[in-house]
Amino acid sequence: MDTQKPEPPPEAVLIKEALRRSRLSGREAARRAGLGETRWRQIVNGYQDVGGGVRVPTVAPAETLARMAQVVGVTPDQLRGAGRADAADALVELLQAQPSPASATGPHGSDPRVDAIATLLADLPPEAQAEVLRRFTSGELAAPTKEVADRSDRHRHAS
């Protein structure tokens, strides 16, 4: 009976470390990748329990690993470096399928300031993007100064 934990493969270690840096919970990362939390954990640990203390090594399919990598900001080159060129290719396809920031729609989709911010965000490394978005969603971004708020009000009333 094999009760020892198999060593996780390099790509699992890569995803686990990127998850830690992303500050997402395993549950949220799994949800964003379209996986159950248990499956996410099996992949990053490199094994699954099959009962009776038996642990079987687990390797993610390329498409699954690509979705996981996308969620936590792992690049195709990092996946290639971990020996998963198949997942790197799948990640490239996922990234190419994403709409570009300039093609965004909505009430502010044609606002050049929104386009500029989206372009700046797209140019940041994944870790920096995650930090900006974390600050935005947590409300840590500074409130506009009175001068900026006044200018914005004048702009709105002039329209």
Side-chain angles (χ1 to χ4, degrees):
M1 199 178 319
D2 186 10
T3 57
Q4 287 191 348
K5 293 181 188 177
E7 285 296 316
E11 68 270 18
V13 174
L14 180 67
I15 296 291
K16 193 172 200 173
E17 180 60 25
L19 174 64
R20 186 190 62 75
R21 284 192 312 269
S22 77
R23 299 185 182 157
L24 288 173
S25 68
R27 174 178 288 159
E28 179 60 18
R31 185 192 68 76
R32 291 182 185 187
L35 297 172
E37 188 177 1
T38 300
R39 183 65 178 148
W40 178 283
R41 203 170 26 252
Q42 289 169 346
I43 292 168
V44 297
N45 289 333
Y47 68 89
Q48 70 183 73
D49 288 313
V50 293
V54 177
R55 295 179 171 133
V56 177
T58 298
V59 177
E63 293 76 18
T64 301
L65 188 59
R67 290 195 320 266
M68 293 172 75
Q70 182 182 27
V71 166
V72 296
V74 169
T75 67
D77 285 342
Q78 289 173 309
L79 285 173
R80 281 189 187 85
R84 288 300 302 267
D86 59 339
D89 293 342
L91 179 56
V92 167
E93 288 179 24
L94 276 176
L95 295 173
Q96 288 174 343
Q98 285 182 330
S100 68
S103 68
T105 59
H108 304 289
S110 62
D111 187 327
R113 295 171 299 175
V114 172
D115 291 342
I117 292 168
T119 300
L120 285 171
L121 271 175
D123 288 341
L124 290 173
E127 296 84 12
Q129 288 178 13
E131 177 62 16
V132 169
L133 294 174
R134 183 194 67 76
R135 288 183 188 185
F136 178 76
T137 57
S138 70
E140 289 181 37
L141 292 180
T145 63
K146 179 166 178 19
E147 177 184 304
V148 170
D150 289 346
R151 190 173 50 215
S152 179
D153 282 344
R154 282 194 305 272
H155 177 71
R156 254 194 310 269
H157 294 302
S159 301

